[in-house]
Amino acid sequence: MDLALAILLDELAIFQPRIEKAISLKTEFRNVHFLPDESLNIETIVDQSTLFIADATTLTQESTKLPADLLIIGADLSGIKWESLDTLIRLSGETDREALFQHLFDVFASYQAWDQRLLTAIIDQVAIDEFLNIAAEKLQNPMALFDNAMSVMATAGKFVKSPVGTIWEKINLPGYPLLDFFTLQEQNELSINVMKQVDEPYLYRPTFDPDHTYASTHIWVAGKLSGNIGLVDLNAPFTAGQLRVLWHITQRLTQYFKTNDVYQRLAENQTGLINHLLEDPLIQDQNVAYHLGRFGWQRDDAFYLLTFVAPIENLSIIEANTYLKRIYNHFPGSMVTVYQGYIIAIIRQGEYPIETAAEQQSLPLLLGKYQLKCGISRCFHDFLQLKLYFVQSRYAVDIAIQNESASFYFYAPYVTEHLLDCLASSVDLRVFCDPDIVAMLTTADDLDRELLRNLHIYLLHGRNLSAAAKVLNLHRNTLIYRIDKIARRLKLDFNSLSENELFSLIFSCMVAESIDGQDQGIDRCSNYRQK
């Protein structure tokens, strides 16, 4: 393992090193050597990965050619030519050369052994907790690994000082959304760092904990954010060396996730889980069980999927996070994410019985306040079938966009309409109609439309005249007259229909009503969203 100059300076603290020149604290070295006397007369020393140790008294000759990186023992540097140097670190003239060399040798060996253990853990695919425990050995402060929802996957390291008042106090608090520890502005700044794919550790001081500095870094796999590492300077201040150690751990965790599919998926938050379920039918049960377990959910619980549409198209991360937080605050404990421009919330029926009057009174308040539209799927009992219910709720939210009368719609009453819309997108619906009903549609007037509607209700109620008349608010004799009239026009005896004929008639009536609705100008493509 190559060690950054910043790490070496931390490890040399007992010798009180002084930086005289350093192009970069990120400069890395693979080993350390004494600068041998015989090298002084050679033209140059070319070894960019070695840090050389030398006495100041031996470097005063005019003919001396220096290596790029030097650690010099001695106070007098007046005779040394600095022009060719990239790094010059000075130690006291009283420093013992042999003790210094042995110390640096041990430092390189220690980090090399530590890094080898990390690599072995990657190959062996050890549990994430075990991997983090190895990683934390070279950190002075405890570390936490988060998924994209700021849920803790694992922690490692020891507390020398109390974590009271820091985010560590909240990490293991059940149900506490860790993002709420930060102000909205701080959340926006963190989101910007994610959007920029900042690939170095960065520091910040949260408003709610001004006494401590926080360090964060992100784990990217194939261009996707797969996790975050967070530390607080509880035990010791962050040094440039500690930040380089953190960056090395981040790189090794990236390799860990790349070679360990299970933990890569676990590192993804509910967004990753939902995206996989909506796009990847082969997602493993254990990944789903892990995420649901963190919510206290089970795969076969009773769920609803709600799809929301905001009045702004192409939401930015910051705008999306604002809506996500508002919806989560209305449904605490739900899964909320963004997918294909829609905001999706998954709730459990036991916590939010959304078909009750009380829930239906509170939801419009949220939707009206933030100008949202919402579609609600049927209640389902298999979380792995999420894709089916996203289709349902997306259709229902389209109905909500089309209609001004309500801000949310349930999918269940619109199954037939959805079926007909799907069929109509690929074929003329009249293909499926009874020919005589098609003929009626060609010259249909209001009376014919009413006759077809009466027939539809009559057939749906099992040809029970009394039940159909009650639904239609007609006198029974009036309905008898109308059914007889349309029976003569269709040349059918409704009391002796085969199963196939009955289905054909019912479906034909459904198509007739659908075509009638299209003729009245129903348009799903509204101008609801603003670009």
Side-chain angles (χ1 to χ4, degrees):
M1 173 185 173
D2 294 352
L3 295 186
L5 176 59
I7 296 176
L8 291 176
L9 289 173
D10 281 355
E11 297 293 342
L12 286 170
I14 59 174
F15 296 96
Q16 299 179 331
R18 177 173 175 176
I19 303 175
E20 299 294 346
K21 182 179 180 181
I23 291 179
S24 173
L25 293 179
K26 298 178 184 178
T27 302
E28 294 187 337
F29 301 99
R30 188 163 301 160
N31 47 48
V32 59
H33 287 301
F34 286 122
L35 187 65
D37 293 341
E38 61 268 20
S39 69
L40 297 181
N41 295 318
I42 66 174
E43 189 65 25
T44 57
I45 299 174
V46 181
D47 190 343
Q48 299 297 327
S49 64
T50 299
L51 179 63
F52 287 94
I53 302 173
D55 289 317
T57 55
T58 65
L59 303 176
T60 56
Q61 305 173 36
E62 276 191 38
S63 60
T64 299
K65 299 296 183 181
L66 302 178
D69 306 288
L70 268 176
L71 199 163
I72 296 179
I73 300 173
D76 184 12
L77 304 181
S78 58
I80 297 176
K81 298 178 181 180
W82 293 26
E83 294 80 6
S84 63
L85 296 178
D86 293 339
T87 306
L88 179 59
I89 308 299
R90 180 162 61 90
L91 301 180
S92 166
E94 299 176 356
T95 302
D96 185 296
R97 292 181 69 215
E98 298 298 332
L100 173 64
F101 180 81
Q102 185 62 50
H103 179 76
L104 284 173
F105 180 85
D106 292 343
V107 167
F108 276 97
S110 173
Y111 276 90
Q112 183 63 42
W114 171 71
D115 190 47
Q116 187 59 52
R117 289 168 60 209
L118 289 176
L119 292 171
T120 302
I122 293 171
I123 296 171
D124 293 343
Q125 296 191 346
V126 302
I128 190 66
D129 303 77
E130 183 178 345
F131 185 89
L132 279 196
N133 283 333
I134 298 172
E137 291 175 6
K138 292 299 183 182
L139 290 173
Q140 294 177 341
N141 294 291
M143 67 184 299
L145 175 63
F146 302 91
D147 65 16
N148 296 342
M150 285 295 286
S151 295
V152 179
M153 293 182 62
T155 62
K158 297 179 180 180
F159 294 98
V160 176
K161 298 180 180 179
S162 170
V164 173
T166 73
I167 197 170
W168 278 104
E169 188 179 15
K170 309 293 186 182
I171 279 179
N172 295 315
L173 191 63
Y176 181 84
L178 289 177
L179 277 177
D180 284 357
F181 185 81
F182 305 101
T183 65
L184 182 59
Q185 180 180 350
E186 289 166 350
Q187 291 181 38
N188 291 343
E189 290 172 355
L190 292 174
S191 296
I192 290 171
N193 283 329
V194 172
M195 286 190 293
K196 291 180 178 178
Q197 294 197 16
V198 174
D199 59 357
E200 292 279 347
Y202 55 92
L203 304 176
Y204 53 96
R205 281 181 176 261
T207 300
F208 297 132
D209 184 17
D211 295 331
H212 292 96
T213 299
Y214 287 55
S216 292
T217 186
H218 305 299
I219 300 165
W220 296 90
V221 177
K224 292 175 60 179
L225 182 63
S226 297
N228 310 274
I229 303 174
L231 294 85
V232 183
D233 63 345
L234 274 171
N235 299 340
F238 292 120
T239 64
Q242 281 288 285
L243 294 181
R244 298 319 299 165
V245 172
L246 175 58
W247 179 234
H248 186 79
I249 292 171
T250 303
Q251 293 175 307
R252 289 295 184 239
L253 266 172
T254 302
Q255 292 176 279
Y256 178 89
F257 286 149
K258 283 180 178 179
T259 58
N260 195 326
D261 181 69
V262 171
Y263 280 103
Q264 182 179 343
R265 299 227 178 171
L266 300 190
E268 296 173 344
N269 71 340
Q270 56 212 39
T271 300
L273 172 68
I274 292 172
N275 286 353
H276 280 304
L277 286 173
L278 294 177
E279 298 172 357
D280 180 7
L282 301 179
I283 187 168
Q284 300 175 2
D285 290 355
Q286 61 181 326
N287 298 330
V288 177
Y290 170 85
H291 282 281
L292 295 183
R294 293 189 307 171
F295 281 76
W297 295 2
Q298 295 183 357
R299 173 180 166 179
D300 58 355
D301 285 341
F303 301 103
Y304 289 99
L305 192 152
L306 285 64
T307 294
F308 298 85
V309 172
I312 302 173
E313 194 170 14
N314 300 322
L315 291 173
S316 69
I317 291 179
I318 296 172
E319 291 166 335
N321 282 340
T322 302
Y323 282 109
L324 292 177
K325 186 171 182 179
R326 291 163 177 169
I327 293 169
Y328 183 86
N329 288 341
H330 188 83
F331 297 109
S334 62
M335 285 191 181
V336 189
T337 187
V338 176
Y339 180 74
Q340 293 184 350
Y342 296 95
I343 302 168
I344 297 173
I346 303 169
I347 61 176
R348 283 202 306 179
Q349 185 186 50
E351 295 158 352
Y352 301 104
I354 201 163
E355 295 188 0
T356 63
E359 288 291 336
Q360 293 184 40
Q361 288 174 359
S362 65
L363 183 57
L365 299 178
L366 169 73
L367 302 178
K369 185 174 182 179
Y370 301 112
Q371 296 183 304
L372 296 167
K373 295 288 188 176
C374 176
I376 305 169
S377 75
R378 285 175 157 176
C379 184
F380 58 99
H381 299 269
D382 186 354
F383 201 87
L384 285 177
Q385 302 301 323
L386 213 59
K387 184 174 184 177
L388 304 179
Y389 305 101
F390 172 60
V391 174
Q392 291 184 1
S393 62
R394 190 175 58 186
Y395 187 83
V397 80
D398 285 345
I399 295 174
I401 292 172
Q402 156 199 325
N403 292 283
E404 296 296 331
S405 58
S407 55
F408 72 95
Y409 279 81
F410 286 91
Y411 174 78
Y414 297 93
V415 175
T416 300
E417 183 177 335
H418 190 189
L419 171 63
L420 294 175
D421 282 353
C422 291
L423 289 172
S425 66
S426 59
V427 68
D428 189 326
L429 290 177
R430 291 173 297 181
V431 168
F432 305 104
C433 277
D434 180 281
D436 293 316
I437 291 182
V438 172
M440 288 181 67
L441 289 174
T442 305
T443 59
D445 55 20
D446 289 343
L447 180 58
D448 282 344
R449 290 192 183 96
E450 187 62 22
L451 285 176
L452 288 173
R453 179 170 177 268
N454 292 168
L455 174 61
H456 190 195
I457 298 300
Y458 169 67
L459 295 175
L460 287 178
H461 285 79
R463 288 166 284 187
N464 184 315
L465 286 166
S466 298
K470 183 176 181 180
V471 171
L472 292 166
N473 198 25
L474 294 175
H475 192 280
R476 188 173 185 275
N477 290 338
T478 301
L479 181 59
I480 290 174
Y481 169 78
R482 292 182 179 182
I483 294 301
D484 286 344
K485 182 176 181 179
I486 196 169
R488 290 193 299 272
R489 290 185 63 175
L490 298 178
K491 304 178 183 62
L492 289 172
D493 179 2
F494 295 142
N495 293 317
S496 59
L497 294 173
S498 67
E499 185 175 336
N500 188 61
E501 289 173 325
L502 179 60
F503 174 80
S504 177
L505 279 177
I506 292 175
F507 193 77
S508 297
C509 291
M510 290 163 51
V511 171
E513 291 183 9
S514 174
I515 293 174
D516 185 43
Q518 293 174 7
D519 292 341
Q520 294 178 32
I522 294 176
D523 183 10
R524 294 209 183 283
C525 300
S526 73
N527 293 320
Y528 173 69
R529 282 185 163 180
Q530 303 169 3
K531 295 189 177 180

